[in-house]
Amino acid sequence: MGDGGRGPLDDILGLRIRLAHGAVQRHFAEHCAHLGLTQKQVSVLWLAHDAPGIAQTDLARTLQMDRATTMAIVHALEKRGLLERERAGADARRIGFHLTQDGEQLLRAAKAAIDGHEAWLRAHFTAREVQTLARLLERIYG
Amino acid sequence: MGDGGRGPLDDILGLRIRLAHGAVQRHFAEHCAHLGLTQKQVSVLWLAHDAPGIAQTDLARTLQMDRATTMAIVHALEKRGLLERERAGADARRIGFHLTQDGEQLLRAAKAAIDGHEAWLRAHFTAREVQTLARLLERIYG
DNA sequence: ATTATCTGTACGTGCTACTTACAAATCACG
DNA sequence: CGTGATTTGTAAGTAGCACGTACAGATAAT
């Protein structure tokens, strides 16, 4: 039998990634439930903070999401008054996003919560292993 | 800036896992579309083949899914005639699952498709790195 | 025998992702 | 300059997956 009790299925690397992802998602949902934000939503807020005026297309590409998916997330954040849009200068058809004050405040709270979440995740590894894991994972999506 | 163009977000290990998972899912969906099966469905078929008579609860625990989620997957497979249930001997309340002939046949096709999918995934790494990655990932969910 | 627990079932909700389609603005080329 | 191609934003529909909850039947515990 395999090392995880799943038999030959344990040899499927894709399954391991899926299980790890599920575990991280579950922990995030528990640990960060008070924010009322999903992982994706936090990512979008974070990016909009770091790069004010970013467009939907940039968000989608950076987070490797579909445009339609990105729209759904952005709409939800706008509806909650965390994100605003502005027709920005040079390119008239481009609409940039930036955080509202509420958005900035919630993002700060989110970063604090994620610090704890990431600490839990990293606690499974040594600092060197974290580097290795990050490097290997990047090869898949990078 | 970070190494992936996401700025400080690149330091979030959870995001890396999420992006890697997404990339794997997308490749699976493309590469295995002809099966008409999702990753989860293949996993359930695979387990039911390896352990005939397995119960819903076992499936849920092994794949770390909710019972309700497991039910949805099992129902879909039953409806397609790939999976059957039987009231098995000793424990009268327990219902075991096993593959039909169609199920066995489709699972063989799925395994062939997944061979290709896994080959693509593993091609990002050396054999040693695959071992390392598998070992590190298991610490998260194991 | 009455609870408590486990298992199977069923329903509803929410997030994410994809496809497809359409409107508006811009850009490129003739 | 104007027509078509491209980009961008928008919208609707479908699907998978996860979770919560509630309920029924069988078994187990007291």
Side-chain angles (χ1 to χ4, degrees):
Chain A
M1 239 149 282
D3 39 336
R6 269 163 292 271
L9 262 178
D10 276 317
D11 293 332
I12 304 298
L13 186 55
L15 177 59
R16 287 180 185 257
I17 293 176
R18 190 146 57 78
L19 291 175
H21 173 249
V24 171
Q25 277 234 299
R26 277 189 293 276
H27 184 274
F28 177 94
E30 267 185 53
H31 192 83
C32 305
H34 61 286
L35 297 169
L37 292 172
T38 65
Q39 284 181 316
K40 301 254 176 190
Q41 289 174 332
V42 173
S43 299
V44 168
L45 287 181
W46 197 315
L47 277 176
H49 168 82
D50 287 355
I54 192 171
Q56 286 183 8
T57 314
D58 302 322
L59 290 172
R61 188 183 52 254
T62 305
L63 297 176
Q64 302 189 195
M65 297 186 299
D66 197 81
R67 282 203 308 144
T69 304
T70 307
M71 281 307 307
I73 296 172
V74 164
H75 281 326
L77 294 175
E78 279 186 87
K79 197 174 297 177
R80 284 178 60 183
L82 304 174
L83 206 61
E84 279 178 349
R85 55 181 60 196
E86 47 176 353
R87 283 220 118 77
D91 199 340
R93 62 188 168 174
R94 203 175 177 80
I95 293 185
F97 293 97
H98 62 95
L99 295 192
T100 63
Q101 292 226 343
D102 283 359
E104 294 284 357
Q105 186 179 340
L106 189 53
L107 177 59
R108 276 193 295 276
K111 283 184 177 180
I114 287 179
D115 273 352
H117 169 63
E118 277 280 309
W120 161 83
L121 179 53
R122 285 163 189 262
H124 295 84
F125 311 106
T126 67
R128 181 171 180 74
E129 285 170 340
V130 168
Q131 290 307 310
T132 301
L133 183 55
R135 184 172 49 81
L136 293 178
L137 287 173
E138 189 174 20
R139 282 206 217 142
I140 299 176
Y141 64 80
Chain B
M1 239 149 286
D3 39 335
R6 268 163 292 271
L9 261 177
D10 277 315
D11 292 333
I12 303 299
L13 186 56
L15 177 59
R16 287 180 184 256
I17 294 175
R18 192 147 55 78
L19 290 175
H21 174 251
V24 171
Q25 277 233 301
R26 277 189 292 275
H27 184 273
F28 178 94
E30 268 185 50
H31 192 83
C32 306
H34 61 286
L35 297 169
L37 292 172
T38 65
Q39 285 181 314
K40 301 254 176 188
Q41 288 175 332
V42 172
S43 298
V44 167
L45 287 182
W46 198 315
L47 277 176
H49 168 83
D50 287 354
I54 192 171
Q56 287 181 8
T57 314
D58 302 322
L59 289 172
R61 188 182 55 253
T62 306
L63 297 176
Q64 303 189 196
M65 297 186 299
D66 197 79
R67 283 203 306 143
T69 303
T70 308
M71 281 307 306
I73 296 171
V74 163
H75 281 326
L77 294 175
E78 279 185 87
K79 198 173 296 177
R80 286 178 59 183
L82 304 174
L83 206 61
E84 279 177 349
R85 56 182 60 196
E86 48 177 351
R87 283 220 118 74
D91 198 341
R93 62 187 168 175
R94 202 175 179 80
I95 293 186
F97 293 99
H98 61 95
L99 296 192
T100 63
Q101 292 227 344
D102 284 358
E104 294 283 357
Q105 186 180 340
L106 189 53
L107 177 59
R108 276 193 295 276
K111 283 184 178 180
I114 287 179
D115 273 352
H117 169 64
E118 277 281 309
W120 161 83
L121 179 53
R122 286 164 188 261
H124 295 84
F125 311 106
T126 67
R128 181 171 181 74
E129 285 170 339
V130 168
Q131 289 308 310
T132 301
L133 182 56
R135 183 172 48 81
L136 293 178
L137 287 173
E138 188 174 21
R139 282 206 218 145
I140 299 177
Y141 64 81

